[in-house]
Every structure is written in C-alpha cells, then in structure tokens.
Amino acid sequence: MGMRFKQAVRIGSNVTDIMKLECVKCVTKQPCPETTGYKYHLYDGNIAVKGDWLCEDYAGQWHILKDNEYQQIIKTDNE
C-alpha cells in the first residue's frame, strides 16, 4: 500500500482553490519558463507549479507532488 491522503488539491490556473487550505499562508507568482506558467511560492518556502498536487496525509503533513507522482500513488493504492 502506498501513501494515503486525507485530501488532495490540484493546483490550477485559479489559485483561489488553494488559498483556502490551512497550509497556504500566501501565494506569490513568479514566471516559470520551464512550464510557460507561474511558480507558486507556498508554505515553508515550497514552490509548486500548475498541475502539481497539494496533498495532506493523515498525520497532518503536507506534500507537493508532481502529477505523475500523484498518479502513481493513486494507481498503487488501487491495485
């Protein structure tokens, strides 16, 4: 069994979706040439981009996962 999450929110174009999460104290955006979008500076100096997942585990710890990482965990949990 892989890692399990209490909640998972995918970062999209509308950062209002993640602003309601208690782990997000503020969001600043900075151009990200690698993704032709923005880098979002989140809690504790962590940086995420559109398409990443903010996931809270059952211990209350938050994780930023790339989509492929998140999909692999979901796939593993369903096997």
Side-chain angles (χ1 to χ4, degrees):
M1 178 167 56
M3 183 179 287
R4 294 194 165 256
F5 299 117
K6 182 165 54 172
Q7 63 177 319
V9 177
R10 192 165 190 194
I11 298 173
S13 297
N14 184 354
V15 295
T16 304
D17 297 339
I18 63 171
M19 287 303 297
K20 63 186 172 190
L21 301 172
E22 64 272 6
C23 70
V24 178
K25 303 302 179 208
C26 72
V27 174
T28 58
K29 63 182 185 179
Q30 170 184 9
C32 179
E34 299 88 24
T35 65
T36 64
Y38 293 101
K39 292 180 184 179
Y40 296 101
H41 296 257
L42 305 171
Y43 65 97
D44 295 335
N46 288 295
I47 296 174
V49 297
K50 180 180 173 183
D52 288 351
W53 291 84
L54 271 174
C55 305
E56 181 184 18
D57 65 28
Y58 282 92
Q61 298 294 313
W62 286 89
H63 309 268
I64 298 173
L65 300 174
K66 298 293 180 195
D67 186 52
N68 62 332
E69 295 170 320
Y70 179 77
Q71 296 303 328
Q72 184 60 44
I73 289 171
I74 298 303
K75 179 181 174 187
T76 303
D77 280 351
N78 290 329
E79 290 179 345

